[in-house]
Amino acid sequence: MPLPDGSVVRGQLADYRIISILGAGARGVTYLARVERASRDPAGVRTHLPLDGDVVVIKGPPELDERYSYTQQEAFLHRVSIGLIREYQVFARLEGVSSAARIYDMGTVDLAVGAGRFYPCHFVVSEWIRGERFDLWRGAQDLPTENSFFVWARRLTEAIGEIHRAGIVHGDVWHNNIIVRDDVDPVFIDLGQSIFRASLPPAADEYESHPYMAPERKRSIQADVFSLCATLFFLATGNAPVVKGGDPEDLKRKVVRDLQRDNPILYRENPGVADIIARGLRELPGRTLDAERLLEDIDLFDKEAASSAKDPRNLLRSLGGRLARLETEEPLFTRIVGMRLRQLDLYADEMSQGLHDVRGDHESLVMAFAQYLSVCDINDQYLTVSRPHLWWPVNMGVNGRVQSVNKQIIKRGTIVRRVFALTTDDLRDSRTMDVLRAHAEMLNAIDSEGEQESRIINTRAKDLEHEGVFTGVLLLPEDKLARLLAKNPHAGIWIRDSRVKVIVPFYDENRTITGFRLMPGDGTPLALRTAFLTDYLHECAEIRDFLTVGLNKSHL
């Protein structure tokens, strides 16, 4: 039986009178209780315990099933006690972490397991978070706009990242286990499924499934990220996610479909929301790795983050304090951090010369390419000659973050002119057609959203006097295209006033990107614009016209 209202249980540091049951489940019962006869610990120093009369939360064992034998009930309570002791240890590890409830005390309570038989089982005492559970708080709000979504996406991600950095994997992230304190701060509760990052994870899960659980059903940082991105889907739409895993492109399309149906205003304001969520709902190993990478995705699409990134001095001041503490408390890691900072110093030195080479794995290259594009602003010009393999799934992706950033900068006011340089052989590759159709669909979406926003974004004018984007297809024989690319290579040209940057990708023999170079433009902005307009833009056909008319004349 649950502890009755008004009963008193004794902890190590105080007695607690039960007020009422807060909730009950297979893993335990939580109660609201009041502190009575608070004492001091043996050292005479109060251990963050509230004063007499203050309210706390007690988590104790679940109700016993009387169908089982006394021996089975005792074995069950033994496992529950071990779990509650571990939860107390987890809470203690999170001391000082603002995104987790504070632990106060623990004790034991004797539970009847039969006539005259009692079993002592542990309970834990923690902070009572004054606030609403996240799903109830969310239900009282309007659907989020771009600004409110990114505010809460950042708060939730920073909160779980703080827990991870303290060495804890939560293990059961979803809206039922988040309390919104003072309408501002998310606090994670119910750490009964948490594990220490320094320990080996369990071979198999021990908890019931729900729609926010990662498909691999194992407790890990990556599983927490999945559950958090499922919670972001709930934040955006008010619904639990019904899509997860599978082909990444198909998953992205399903998330886009659900956002367009359930919160079309948010999707029109910032389609990058779909990329953030969909990447976190992937199966391993393609999923967003951790909270830090998830914040990178949020920064990529959040315009407020772009503004704050212009002045990194506050970050450098914060880093100085962390380095001083690291050198004192964790000297083993000081050298590792120092090597990474030295690499950053070399990058900054290289960039001060207007040059930067990007190498790394697929994820690093996609993120760096997307970040490069994301700095484009109103009245900037981005002129690019694309070969279709740039957008293959193995490279930038048919409909991934890079395309979403393209759409975002167009709506921001960047003038974009893109030409796909193709041969007939390219058109015989289904991947090429997937890329062309994806870009045509993006143009149709921009047209539609522009009309809804009472702002026409011109997508059929080649000249640079019009805003928005023009995407064309230039179909040439292989030898002629080779000569043209030798003269003006496959590249992107970014022009802001009199400043010019060029991005040139590097490929291996399989047309897989191995890196790219950001470098100063070779020539004045006027010369580069003129070469682009003359050699590529002038002769190309608008992509949607090409797909409906010109493609039929190419004799595939």
Side-chain angles (χ1 to χ4, degrees), residues 385-398 418-423 425-436 439 473-474 481 485 490 507 511 513:
V385 180
S386 294
R387 297 304 310 276
H389 47 267
L390 172 70
W391 299 92
W392 285 353
V394 72
N395 293 324
M396 295 300 105
V398 175
R418 171 172 285 106
V419 175
F420 283 102
L422 309 177
T423 66
D425 284 343
D426 288 325
L427 293 177
R428 293 192 177 96
D429 192 319
S430 62
R431 292 172 294 183
T432 295
M433 302 312 301
D434 289 342
V435 169
L436 296 183
H439 279 77
V473 176
L474 183 62
L481 180 57
L485 288 170
H490 163 27
Y507 299 90
R511 294 187 173 183
I513 287 182

Side-chain angles (χ1 to χ4, degrees), residues 269-282:
E269 288 180 326
N270 198 320
V273 170
D275 293 86
I276 294 168
I277 293 172
R279 281 223 315 138
L281 296 182
R282 290 180 183 177

Side-chain angles (χ1 to χ4, degrees), residues 214-342:
E216 65 269 19
R217 291 174 59 84
K218 294 183 184 296
R219 284 166 281 180
S220 66
I221 286 178
Q222 291 85 358
D224 274 1
V225 168
F226 178 98
S227 298
L228 181 59
C229 287
T231 304
L232 295 185
F233 182 92
F234 171 76
L235 169 68
T237 65
N239 300 317
V242 294
V243 293
K244 58 177 75 173
D247 176 71
E249 296 290 343
D250 188 46
L251 174 62
K252 164 86 179 287
R253 284 191 289 269
K254 290 176 180 177
V255 172
V256 167
R257 177 202 62 200
D258 290 349
L259 282 171
Q260 289 176 325
R261 180 193 64 209
D262 298 329
N263 194 345
I265 294 176
L266 173 61
Y267 182 76
R268 283 201 305 270
E269 288 180 326
N270 198 320
V273 170
D275 293 86
I276 294 168
I277 293 172
R279 281 223 315 138
L281 296 182
R282 290 180 183 177
E283 295 177 354
L284 295 174
R287 186 184 308 156
T288 308
L289 283 176
D290 50 38
E292 285 69 35
R293 268 58 166 213
L294 183 54
L295 279 174
E296 281 188 359
D297 281 356
I298 292 170
D299 285 344
L300 182 64
F301 293 105
D302 182 9
K303 61 186 179 183
E304 296 301 323
S307 299
S308 63
K310 293 177 181 177
D311 185 1
R313 286 172 292 188
N314 289 336
L315 180 61
L316 291 174
R317 284 191 288 269
S318 172
L319 182 61
R322 295 179 189 275
L323 286 173
R325 188 171 74 249
L326 183 67
E327 189 171 9
T328 301
E329 300 177 3
E330 293 288 351
L332 181 63
F333 295 140
T334 303
R335 185 180 178 191
I336 297 174
V337 175
M339 288 189 291
R340 293 187 180 181
L341 287 175
R342 180 176 179 273

Side-chain angles (χ1 to χ4, degrees), residues 75-142:
F76 172 72
L77 288 176
H78 177 69
R79 292 195 301 272
V80 169
S81 265
I82 291 175
L84 288 167
I85 291 171
R86 185 184 63 187
E87 187 167 352
Y88 178 84
Q89 294 169 336
V90 167
F91 268 119
R93 179 66 178 266
L94 292 172
E95 180 65 32
V97 173
S98 61
S99 56
R102 174 177 286 176
I103 192 70
Y104 291 137
D105 196 5
M106 72 181 305
T108 58
V109 60
D110 290 332
L111 295 182
V113 293
R117 297 182 64 172
F118 295 87
Y119 188 91
C121 192
H122 286 87
F123 64 85
V124 295
V125 183
S126 62
E127 176 185 8
W128 178 40
I129 307 297
R130 287 173 170 80
E132 279 191 291
R133 207 172 67 184
F134 188 77
D135 56 332
L136 302 177
W137 173 86
R138 166 65 188 79
Q141 314 294 317
D142 293 330

Side-chain angles (χ1 to χ4, degrees), residues 160-219:
I160 199 64
E162 188 181 21
I163 291 172
H164 289 166
R165 288 192 298 275
I168 301 298
V169 171
H170 188 285
D172 196 16
V173 173
W174 65 313
H175 55 62
N176 276 20
N177 290 335
I178 303 169
I179 301 294
V180 179
R181 177 165 49 196
D182 300 328
D183 278 336
V184 174
D185 298 318
V187 180
F188 284 84
I189 60 171
D190 196 355
L191 292 152
Q193 294 301 319
S194 299
I195 61 172
F196 294 99
R197 287 177 59 189
S199 63
L200 294 175
D205 70 276
E206 303 168 356
Y207 46 95
E208 298 176 0
S209 179
H210 52 67
Y212 297 80
M213 183 179 295
E216 65 269 19
R217 291 174 59 84
K218 294 183 184 296
R219 284 166 281 180

